[in-house]
Amino acid sequence: EVQLVESGGDLVQPGGSLRLSCAASGFTFSSNWMHWVRQAPGKGLVWVSRINSDGSRTDYADSVKGRFTISRDNARNTLYLQMNSLRAEDTAVYYCARDAPVVTLDYWGQGTLVTVSS
Amino acid sequence: QSVLTQPPSASGTPGQRVTISCSGSSSNIGSHYVYWYQQLPGTAPKLLIYRNNQRPSGVPDRFSGSKSGTSASLAISGLRSEDEADYYCAAWDDSLSGPYVFGTGTKVIVL
């Protein structure tokens, strides 16, 4: 069974940093691109970032470019999102999602809440 | 921030058919497949439709998708109380908005 479990969400002050993790199981993690998607309270889904299967290619939404870094450790089956220079508008539930051929983002984690506030 | 436009809400009584529209452009829906996600209250999104009209295993055939030009739609037939949720369309996008864009979301209310 495919499982994605996010962790690392917390309350952080503006300008602070946080690292999110997404532990994957039930599939060959090293074969799939992975994504981060966020959802501000009461708002819709917004794509944040993606990384290819071996970590050599990454893409970011303009709103996080230069502040967030996506990475992965295929030996540990874990996806990461390093978030720096956090702003109030980064407050959201962050989901990791698997990208599979044909079906695209087919499995999602339960999400982890990041709150940026003083 | 959303590139794909959906109506904020749609409603129907049990057993009725409800349709949700998703409007995009040539850089997304016009040149790529459309995906639909269902988000039940307090839960993560779940893939409902892929490649315009394909259902993953386990998704009831009451859900169907279609696409025409730069628009797409999701239909729910035989509406049930458990279908009350938020629904999002999505597509790959070739513009600076991309690479993956979501719709504004539609709340389906079962009366």
Side-chain angles (χ1 to χ4, degrees), chain A residues 46-75:
Chain A
V46 176
W47 179 84
V48 173
S49 182
R50 68 174 175 176
I51 187 168
N52 69 345
S53 57
D54 66 6
S56 61
R57 175 179 169 176
T58 58
D59 294 295
Y60 300 92
D62 284 347
S63 58
V64 307
K65 201 172 293 182
R67 301 187 299 122
F68 290 11
T69 302
I70 190 172
S71 63
R72 64 191 299 160
D73 184 338
N74 285 345

PDB file of all heavy atoms in Angstrom, chain A residues 46-75:
ATOM      1  N   VAL A  46      -2.437  24.837  -4.235  1.00  0.00           N
ATOM      2  CA  VAL A  46      -1.429  25.567  -5.007  1.00  0.00           C
ATOM      3  C   VAL A  46      -0.174  24.707  -5.131  1.00  0.00           C
ATOM      4  O   VAL A  46       0.376  24.246  -4.126  1.00  0.00           O
ATOM      5  CB  VAL A  46      -1.060  26.911  -4.322  1.00  0.00           C
ATOM      6  CG1 VAL A  46       0.054  27.610  -5.092  1.00  0.00           C
ATOM      7  CG2 VAL A  46      -2.282  27.809  -4.219  1.00  0.00           C
ATOM      8  N   TRP A  47       0.272  24.501  -6.356  1.00  0.00           N
ATOM      9  CA  TRP A  47       1.488  23.729  -6.593  1.00  0.00           C
ATOM     10  C   TRP A  47       2.695  24.527  -6.111  1.00  0.00           C
ATOM     11  O   TRP A  47       2.794  25.740  -6.332  1.00  0.00           O
ATOM     12  CB  TRP A  47       1.612  23.412  -8.075  1.00  0.00           C
ATOM     13  CG  TRP A  47       2.841  22.639  -8.407  1.00  0.00           C
ATOM     14  CD1 TRP A  47       3.018  21.291  -8.333  1.00  0.00           C
ATOM     15  CD2 TRP A  47       4.087  23.188  -8.858  1.00  0.00           C
ATOM     16  NE1 TRP A  47       4.298  20.965  -8.721  1.00  0.00           N
ATOM     17  CE2 TRP A  47       4.969  22.111  -9.040  1.00  0.00           C
ATOM     18  CE3 TRP A  47       4.543  24.479  -9.126  1.00  0.00           C
ATOM     19  CZ2 TRP A  47       6.286  22.281  -9.481  1.00  0.00           C
ATOM     20  CZ3 TRP A  47       5.846  24.657  -9.558  1.00  0.00           C
ATOM     21  CH2 TRP A  47       6.703  23.567  -9.736  1.00  0.00           C
ATOM     22  N   VAL A  48       3.648  23.841  -5.444  1.00  0.00           N
ATOM     23  CA  VAL A  48       4.803  24.520  -4.867  1.00  0.00           C
ATOM     24  C   VAL A  48       6.108  24.135  -5.562  1.00  0.00           C
ATOM     25  O   VAL A  48       6.884  24.996  -5.957  1.00  0.00           O
ATOM     26  CB  VAL A  48       4.917  24.201  -3.361  1.00  0.00           C
ATOM     27  CG1 VAL A  48       6.218  24.762  -2.784  1.00  0.00           C
ATOM     28  CG2 VAL A  48       3.712  24.756  -2.604  1.00  0.00           C
ATOM     29  N   SER A  49       6.349  22.821  -5.681  1.00  0.00           N
ATOM     30  CA  SER A  49       7.646  22.397  -6.185  1.00  0.00           C
ATOM     31  C   SER A  49       7.597  20.944  -6.623  1.00  0.00           C
ATOM     32  O   SER A  49       6.705  20.191  -6.218  1.00  0.00           O
ATOM     33  CB  SER A  49       8.704  22.567  -5.075  1.00  0.00           C
ATOM     34  OG  SER A  49       9.989  22.203  -5.525  1.00  0.00           O
ATOM     35  N   ARG A  50       8.574  20.541  -7.441  1.00  0.00           N
ATOM     36  CA  ARG A  50       8.693  19.144  -7.830  1.00  0.00           C
ATOM     37  C   ARG A  50      10.163  18.798  -8.007  1.00  0.00           C
ATOM     38  O   ARG A  50      11.003  19.691  -8.223  1.00  0.00           O
ATOM     39  CB  ARG A  50       7.930  18.843  -9.113  1.00  0.00           C
ATOM     40  CG  ARG A  50       8.530  19.495 -10.358  1.00  0.00           C
ATOM     41  CD  ARG A  50       7.827  19.037 -11.624  1.00  0.00           C
ATOM     42  NE  ARG A  50       8.321  19.741 -12.801  1.00  0.00           N
ATOM     43  CZ  ARG A  50       7.937  19.484 -14.054  1.00  0.00           C
ATOM     44  NH1 ARG A  50       7.047  18.532 -14.292  1.00  0.00           N
ATOM     45  NH2 ARG A  50       8.425  20.185 -15.055  1.00  0.00           N
ATOM     46  N   ILE A  51      10.440  17.507  -7.928  1.00  0.00           N
ATOM     47  CA  ILE A  51      11.803  16.999  -8.083  1.00  0.00           C
ATOM     48  C   ILE A  51      11.747  15.699  -8.873  1.00  0.00           C
ATOM     49  O   ILE A  51      10.810  14.901  -8.686  1.00  0.00           O
ATOM     50  CB  ILE A  51      12.470  16.812  -6.702  1.00  0.00           C
ATOM     51  CG1 ILE A  51      13.951  16.454  -6.845  1.00  0.00           C
ATOM     52  CG2 ILE A  51      11.719  15.776  -5.861  1.00  0.00           C
ATOM     53  CD1 ILE A  51      14.719  16.537  -5.524  1.00  0.00           C
ATOM     54  N   ASN A  52      12.721  15.504  -9.739  1.00  0.00           N
ATOM     55  CA  ASN A  52      12.701  14.265 -10.523  1.00  0.00           C
ATOM     56  C   ASN A  52      13.204  13.094  -9.694  1.00  0.00           C
ATOM     57  O   ASN A  52      13.571  13.254  -8.522  1.00  0.00           O
ATOM     58  CB  ASN A  52      13.472  14.433 -11.830  1.00  0.00           C
ATOM     59  CG  ASN A  52      14.972  14.571 -11.626  1.00  0.00           C
ATOM     60  OD1 ASN A  52      15.437  14.822 -10.509  1.00  0.00           O
ATOM     61  ND2 ASN A  52      15.722  14.417 -12.698  1.00  0.00           N
ATOM     62  N   SER A  53      13.223  11.932 -10.295  1.00  0.00           N
ATOM     63  CA  SER A  53      13.445  10.706  -9.531  1.00  0.00           C
ATOM     64  C   SER A  53      14.830  10.617  -8.893  1.00  0.00           C
ATOM     65  O   SER A  53      14.969  10.066  -7.796  1.00  0.00           O
ATOM     66  CB  SER A  53      13.190   9.480 -10.407  1.00  0.00           C
ATOM     67  OG  SER A  53      14.012   9.526 -11.562  1.00  0.00           O
ATOM     68  N   ASP A  54      15.861  11.163  -9.544  1.00  0.00           N
ATOM     69  CA  ASP A  54      17.206  11.073  -8.961  1.00  0.00           C
ATOM     70  C   ASP A  54      17.661  12.373  -8.310  1.00  0.00           C
ATOM     71  O   ASP A  54      18.798  12.475  -7.850  1.00  0.00           O
ATOM     72  CB  ASP A  54      18.227  10.622 -10.004  1.00  0.00           C
ATOM     73  CG  ASP A  54      18.442  11.637 -11.126  1.00  0.00           C
ATOM     74  OD1 ASP A  54      17.887  12.755 -11.042  1.00  0.00           O
ATOM     75  OD2 ASP A  54      19.163  11.307 -12.086  1.00  0.00           O
ATOM     76  N   GLY A  55      16.768  13.354  -8.265  1.00  0.00           N
ATOM     77  CA  GLY A  55      17.077  14.613  -7.591  1.00  0.00           C
ATOM     78  C   GLY A  55      17.862  15.609  -8.407  1.00  0.00           C
ATOM     79  O   GLY A  55      18.243  16.664  -7.886  1.00  0.00           O
ATOM     80  N   SER A  56      18.083  15.322  -9.687  1.00  0.00           N
ATOM     81  CA  SER A  56      18.936  16.201 -10.496  1.00  0.00           C
ATOM     82  C   SER A  56      18.180  17.388 -11.094  1.00  0.00           C
ATOM     83  O   SER A  56      18.790  18.323 -11.608  1.00  0.00           O
ATOM     84  CB  SER A  56      19.589  15.392 -11.624  1.00  0.00           C
ATOM     85  OG  SER A  56      18.599  14.838 -12.475  1.00  0.00           O
ATOM     86  N   ARG A  57      16.854  17.334 -11.047  1.00  0.00           N
ATOM     87  CA  ARG A  57      16.066  18.437 -11.605  1.00  0.00           C
ATOM     88  C   ARG A  57      14.992  18.868 -10.625  1.00  0.00           C
ATOM     89  O   ARG A  57      14.289  18.032 -10.049  1.00  0.00           O
ATOM     90  CB  ARG A  57      15.408  18.033 -12.924  1.00  0.00           C
ATOM     91  CG  ARG A  57      14.493  19.139 -13.452  1.00  0.00           C
ATOM     92  CD  ARG A  57      13.824  18.824 -14.742  1.00  0.00           C
ATOM     93  NE  ARG A  57      12.774  19.804 -15.034  1.00  0.00           N
ATOM     94  CZ  ARG A  57      12.056  19.831 -16.147  1.00  0.00           C
ATOM     95  NH1 ARG A  57      12.261  18.922 -17.085  1.00  0.00           N
ATOM     96  NH2 ARG A  57      11.124  20.745 -16.321  1.00  0.00           N
ATOM     97  N   THR A  58      14.875  20.165 -10.429  1.00  0.00           N
ATOM     98  CA  THR A  58      13.857  20.709  -9.535  1.00  0.00           C
ATOM     99  C   THR A  58      13.161  21.899 -10.198  1.00  0.00           C
ATOM    100  O   THR A  58      13.755  22.597 -11.033  1.00  0.00           O
ATOM    101  CB  THR A  58      14.476  21.185  -8.207  1.00  0.00           C
ATOM    102  OG1 THR A  58      15.478  22.178  -8.477  1.00  0.00           O
ATOM    103  CG2 THR A  58      15.106  20.024  -7.447  1.00  0.00           C
ATOM    104  N   ASP A  59      11.913  22.117  -9.824  1.00  0.00           N
ATOM    105  CA  ASP A  59      11.144  23.262 -10.301  1.00  0.00           C
ATOM    106  C   ASP A  59      10.387  23.862  -9.130  1.00  0.00           C
ATOM    107  O   ASP A  59       9.995  23.137  -8.206  1.00  0.00           O
ATOM    108  CB  ASP A  59      10.148  22.852 -11.394  1.00  0.00           C
ATOM    109  CG  ASP A  59      10.841  22.379 -12.657  1.00  0.00           C
ATOM    110  OD1 ASP A  59      11.514  23.211 -13.297  1.00  0.00           O
ATOM    111  OD2 ASP A  59      10.714  21.196 -13.002  1.00  0.00           O
ATOM    112  N   TYR A  60      10.151  25.181  -9.208  1.00  0.00           N
ATOM    113  CA  TYR A  60       9.491  25.882  -8.114  1.00  0.00           C
ATOM    114  C   TYR A  60       8.460  26.874  -8.639  1.00  0.00           C
ATOM    115  O   TYR A  60       8.612  27.444  -9.711  1.00  0.00           O
ATOM    116  CB  TYR A  60      10.517  26.667  -7.277  1.00  0.00           C
ATOM    117  CG  TYR A  60      11.585  25.808  -6.652  1.00  0.00           C
ATOM    118  CD1 TYR A  60      12.792  25.568  -7.309  1.00  0.00           C
ATOM    119  CD2 TYR A  60      11.384  25.220  -5.404  1.00  0.00           C
ATOM    120  CE1 TYR A  60      13.768  24.768  -6.750  1.00  0.00           C
ATOM    121  CE2 TYR A  60      12.357  24.421  -4.827  1.00  0.00           C
ATOM    122  CZ  TYR A  60      13.542  24.197  -5.510  1.00  0.00           C
ATOM    123  OH  TYR A  60      14.505  23.400  -4.945  1.00  0.00           O
ATOM    124  N   ALA A  61       7.436  27.097  -7.830  1.00  0.00           N
ATOM    125  CA  ALA A  61       6.516  28.191  -8.108  1.00  0.00           C
ATOM    126  C   ALA A  61       7.256  29.498  -7.870  1.00  0.00           C
ATOM    127  O   ALA A  61       8.151  29.583  -7.018  1.00  0.00           O
ATOM    128  CB  ALA A  61       5.303  28.097  -7.184  1.00  0.00           C
ATOM    129  N   ASP A  62       6.884  30.527  -8.614  1.00  0.00           N
ATOM    130  CA  ASP A  62       7.547  31.826  -8.470  1.00  0.00           C
ATOM    131  C   ASP A  62       7.478  32.343  -7.039  1.00  0.00           C
ATOM    132  O   ASP A  62       8.403  32.999  -6.557  1.00  0.00           O
ATOM    133  CB  ASP A  62       6.910  32.852  -9.414  1.00  0.00           C
ATOM    134  CG  ASP A  62       7.336  32.651 -10.862  1.00  0.00           C
ATOM    135  OD1 ASP A  62       8.306  31.891 -11.097  1.00  0.00           O
ATOM    136  OD2 ASP A  62       6.697  33.242 -11.745  1.00  0.00           O
ATOM    137  N   SER A  63       6.394  32.041  -6.350  1.00  0.00           N
ATOM    138  CA  SER A  63       6.176  32.570  -5.007  1.00  0.00           C
ATOM    139  C   SER A  63       7.169  32.028  -3.981  1.00  0.00           C
ATOM    140  O   SER A  63       7.334  32.606  -2.906  1.00  0.00           O
ATOM    141  CB  SER A  63       4.748  32.275  -4.549  1.00  0.00           C
ATOM    142  OG  SER A  63       4.497  30.894  -4.574  1.00  0.00           O
ATOM    143  N   VAL A  64       7.832  30.918  -4.286  1.00  0.00           N
ATOM    144  CA  VAL A  64       8.765  30.324  -3.321  1.00  0.00           C
ATOM    145  C   VAL A  64      10.185  30.226  -3.869  1.00  0.00           C
ATOM    146  O   VAL A  64      11.109  29.848  -3.129  1.00  0.00           O
ATOM    147  CB  VAL A  64       8.295  28.929  -2.860  1.00  0.00           C
ATOM    148  CG1 VAL A  64       6.860  28.994  -2.340  1.00  0.00           C
ATOM    149  CG2 VAL A  64       8.423  27.905  -3.979  1.00  0.00           C
ATOM    150  N   LYS A  65      10.356  30.572  -5.141  1.00  0.00           N
ATOM    151  CA  LYS A  65      11.673  30.440  -5.769  1.00  0.00           C
ATOM    152  C   LYS A  65      12.703  31.287  -5.025  1.00  0.00           C
ATOM    153  O   LYS A  65      12.468  32.448  -4.693  1.00  0.00           O
ATOM    154  CB  LYS A  65      11.567  30.885  -7.232  1.00  0.00           C
ATOM    155  CG  LYS A  65      12.651  30.364  -8.134  1.00  0.00           C
ATOM    156  CD  LYS A  65      12.352  30.691  -9.585  1.00  0.00           C
ATOM    157  CE  LYS A  65      11.140  29.961 -10.105  1.00  0.00           C
ATOM    158  NZ  LYS A  65      10.865  30.226 -11.539  1.00  0.00           N
ATOM    159  N   GLY A  66      13.852  30.680  -4.734  1.00  0.00           N
ATOM    160  CA  GLY A  66      14.912  31.371  -4.010  1.00  0.00           C
ATOM    161  C   GLY A  66      14.802  31.258  -2.505  1.00  0.00           C
ATOM    162  O   GLY A  66      15.745  31.598  -1.785  1.00  0.00           O
ATOM    163  N   ARG A  67      13.658  30.808  -2.013  1.00  0.00           N
ATOM    164  CA  ARG A  67      13.459  30.664  -0.561  1.00  0.00           C
ATOM    165  C   ARG A  67      13.297  29.204  -0.149  1.00  0.00           C
ATOM    166  O   ARG A  67      13.679  28.820   0.943  1.00  0.00           O
ATOM    167  CB  ARG A  67      12.221  31.448  -0.117  1.00  0.00           C
ATOM    168  CG  ARG A  67      12.277  32.935  -0.415  1.00  0.00           C
ATOM    169  CD  ARG A  67      11.076  33.673   0.208  1.00  0.00           C
ATOM    170  NE  ARG A  67       9.797  33.219  -0.302  1.00  0.00           N
ATOM    171  CZ  ARG A  67       8.817  32.724   0.449  1.00  0.00           C
ATOM    172  NH1 ARG A  67       8.986  32.619   1.761  1.00  0.00           N
ATOM    173  NH2 ARG A  67       7.667  32.352  -0.099  1.00  0.00           N
ATOM    174  N   PHE A  68      12.673  28.400  -1.000  1.00  0.00           N
ATOM    175  CA  PHE A  68      12.425  26.988  -0.698  1.00  0.00           C
ATOM    176  C   PHE A  68      13.356  26.114  -1.525  1.00  0.00           C
ATOM    177  O   PHE A  68      13.687  26.454  -2.672  1.00  0.00           O
ATOM    178  CB  PHE A  68      10.988  26.605  -1.022  1.00  0.00           C
ATOM    179  CG  PHE A  68       9.945  27.199  -0.117  1.00  0.00           C
ATOM    180  CD1 PHE A  68      10.240  28.207   0.793  1.00  0.00           C
ATOM    181  CD2 PHE A  68       8.631  26.739  -0.175  1.00  0.00           C
ATOM    182  CE1 PHE A  68       9.285  28.746   1.628  1.00  0.00           C
ATOM    183  CE2 PHE A  68       7.649  27.259   0.650  1.00  0.00           C
ATOM    184  CZ  PHE A  68       7.979  28.275   1.542  1.00  0.00           C
ATOM    185  N   THR A  69      13.737  24.978  -0.954  1.00  0.00           N
ATOM    186  CA  THR A  69      14.557  24.007  -1.673  1.00  0.00           C
ATOM    187  C   THR A  69      13.980  22.616  -1.475  1.00  0.00           C
ATOM    188  O   THR A  69      13.820  22.156  -0.341  1.00  0.00           O
ATOM    189  CB  THR A  69      16.011  24.030  -1.183  1.00  0.00           C
ATOM    190  OG1 THR A  69      16.561  25.342  -1.334  1.00  0.00           O
ATOM    191  CG2 THR A  69      16.853  23.030  -1.972  1.00  0.00           C
ATOM    192  N   ILE A  70      13.677  21.965  -2.576  1.00  0.00           N
ATOM    193  CA  ILE A  70      13.184  20.594  -2.528  1.00  0.00           C
ATOM    194  C   ILE A  70      14.362  19.654  -2.717  1.00  0.00           C
ATOM    195  O   ILE A  70      15.300  19.944  -3.483  1.00  0.00           O
ATOM    196  CB  ILE A  70      12.104  20.363  -3.616  1.00  0.00           C
ATOM    197  CG1 ILE A  70      11.411  19.012  -3.429  1.00  0.00           C
ATOM    198  CG2 ILE A  70      12.682  20.505  -5.005  1.00  0.00           C
ATOM    199  CD1 ILE A  70      10.208  18.802  -4.354  1.00  0.00           C
ATOM    200  N   SER A  71      14.356  18.541  -2.009  1.00  0.00           N
ATOM    201  CA  SER A  71      15.413  17.549  -2.151  1.00  0.00           C
ATOM    202  C   SER A  71      14.864  16.184  -1.776  1.00  0.00           C
ATOM    203  O   SER A  71      13.733  16.077  -1.293  1.00  0.00           O
ATOM    204  CB  SER A  71      16.625  17.902  -1.273  1.00  0.00           C
ATOM    205  OG  SER A  71      16.264  17.886   0.096  1.00  0.00           O
ATOM    206  N   ARG A  72      15.653  15.171  -1.983  1.00  0.00           N
ATOM    207  CA  ARG A  72      15.207  13.813  -1.652  1.00  0.00           C
ATOM    208  C   ARG A  72      16.401  12.958  -1.282  1.00  0.00           C
ATOM    209  O   ARG A  72      17.529  13.197  -1.725  1.00  0.00           O
ATOM    210  CB  ARG A  72      14.449  13.199  -2.816  1.00  0.00           C
ATOM    211  CG  ARG A  72      15.261  12.992  -4.078  1.00  0.00           C
ATOM    212  CD  ARG A  72      14.356  12.630  -5.267  1.00  0.00           C
ATOM    213  NE  ARG A  72      13.629  11.394  -5.052  1.00  0.00           N
ATOM    214  CZ  ARG A  72      12.506  11.060  -5.726  1.00  0.00           C
ATOM    215  NH1 ARG A  72      12.007  11.891  -6.620  1.00  0.00           N
ATOM    216  NH2 ARG A  72      11.910   9.907  -5.477  1.00  0.00           N
ATOM    217  N   ASP A  73      16.116  11.936  -0.480  1.00  0.00           N
ATOM    218  CA  ASP A  73      17.112  10.933  -0.120  1.00  0.00           C
ATOM    219  C   ASP A  73      16.508   9.589  -0.498  1.00  0.00           C
ATOM    220  O   ASP A  73      15.665   9.049   0.235  1.00  0.00           O
ATOM    221  CB  ASP A  73      17.419  11.015   1.375  1.00  0.00           C
ATOM    222  CG  ASP A  73      18.529  10.062   1.804  1.00  0.00           C
ATOM    223  OD1 ASP A  73      18.781   9.074   1.088  1.00  0.00           O
ATOM    224  OD2 ASP A  73      19.138  10.282   2.855  1.00  0.00           O
ATOM    225  N   ASN A  74      16.913   9.071  -1.630  1.00  0.00           N
ATOM    226  CA  ASN A  74      16.309   7.821  -2.106  1.00  0.00           C
ATOM    227  C   ASN A  74      16.696   6.620  -1.245  1.00  0.00           C
ATOM    228  O   ASN A  74      15.974   5.622  -1.208  1.00  0.00           O
ATOM    229  CB  ASN A  74      16.692   7.580  -3.558  1.00  0.00           C
ATOM    230  CG  ASN A  74      15.917   8.496  -4.512  1.00  0.00           C
ATOM    231  OD1 ASN A  74      14.912   9.102  -4.138  1.00  0.00           O
ATOM    232  ND2 ASN A  74      16.400   8.622  -5.740  1.00  0.00           N
ATOM    233  N   ALA A  75      17.801   6.723  -0.549  1.00  0.00           N
ATOM    234  CA  ALA A  75      18.197   5.626   0.342  1.00  0.00           C
ATOM    235  C   ALA A  75      17.284   5.561   1.558  1.00  0.00           C
ATOM    236  O   ALA A  75      17.065   4.492   2.125  1.00  0.00           O
ATOM    237  CB  ALA A  75      19.648   5.803   0.788  1.00  0.00           C
TER     238      ALA A  75
END
